[in-house]
Amino acid sequence: MNMEEAIELLKEKGYKTTGRRKDILKFFAEADGYRTAKELIAFIEQKQPAVSFDTIYRNLHLFHEMGILESTELDGEKHFQIACAHHHHHHFICRRCGKTKEIDVCPMQDINNLLPGCVIENHKFEIYGICPQCKTA
């Protein structure tokens, strides 16, 4: 999803596209991989030093619920990135820098065979490790 699509979705759902929301979307659109709320707050504080943590977290939750952002948990902390809506895939996530690499393989066919009669409603498959750039650093 790109920034324009996210703004259009907000408008369709009746939400205002405030400057702060645009700044949040810009931060994630320019990020390479998953980022934390703390990183977002540091970015926003460069423009608006009196940023409210509650406002940031409310918007992160809203964007996640609307499918604008996807999230994962690394070391007990939530990380977010712009949702990838173009096709079904999973991610390799670097535990040091948060960069992601798409993985087009999905283990669900094997899982479905192992769970006959079950109705699987959703799934998430992620691989965590160290990317080549962080490995050599």
Side-chain angles (χ1 to χ4, degrees):
M1 177 172 296
N2 64 38
M3 202 165 148
E4 292 77 26
E5 292 169 330
I7 289 170
E8 188 58 35
L9 182 59
L10 284 168
K11 288 178 183 176
E12 286 174 13
K13 300 290 182 181
Y15 292 97
K16 294 178 183 176
T17 52
T18 63
R20 175 129 336 122
R21 286 186 174 150
K22 288 179 182 177
D23 287 343
I24 292 170
L25 291 171
K26 180 177 190 254
F27 172 78
F28 285 107
E30 294 175 355
D32 185 11
Y34 283 94
R35 297 292 171 249
T36 64
K38 290 177 191 172
E39 291 170 307
L40 171 60
I41 290 167
F43 172 79
I44 299 290
E45 282 179 334
Q46 292 173 4
K47 291 182 177 184
Q48 303 166 5
V51 64
S52 160
F53 294 144
D54 288 342
T55 298
I56 295 299
Y57 283 101
R58 267 195 314 276
N59 280 293
L60 286 173
H61 180 73
L62 172 66
F63 291 172
H64 183 258
E65 289 294 311
M66 293 180 71
I68 294 169
L69 296 178
E70 53 187 42
S71 69
T72 191
E73 193 168 311
L74 292 169
D75 300 324
E77 185 175 17
K78 251 194 165 148
H79 290 63
F80 300 88
Q81 77 172 3
I82 290 285
C84 306
H86 50 66
H87 68 281
H88 181 80
H89 65 275
H90 299 284
H91 293 114
F92 166 83
I93 304 167
C94 180
R95 294 182 63 81
R96 289 190 186 156
C97 69
K99 288 184 182 176
T100 63
K101 178 170 176 46
E102 288 185 9
I103 302 168
D104 290 324
V105 175
C106 181
M108 287 311 295
Q109 186 59 46
D110 293 333
I111 300 297
N112 284 329
N113 293 336
L114 293 170
L115 299 169
C118 294
V119 175
I120 297 174
E121 296 177 341
N122 200 354
H123 72 281
K124 188 173 187 174
F125 178 68
E126 297 171 337
I127 298 173
Y128 302 95
I130 307 299
C131 72
Q133 290 81 15
C134 290
K135 185 178 167 188
T136 59

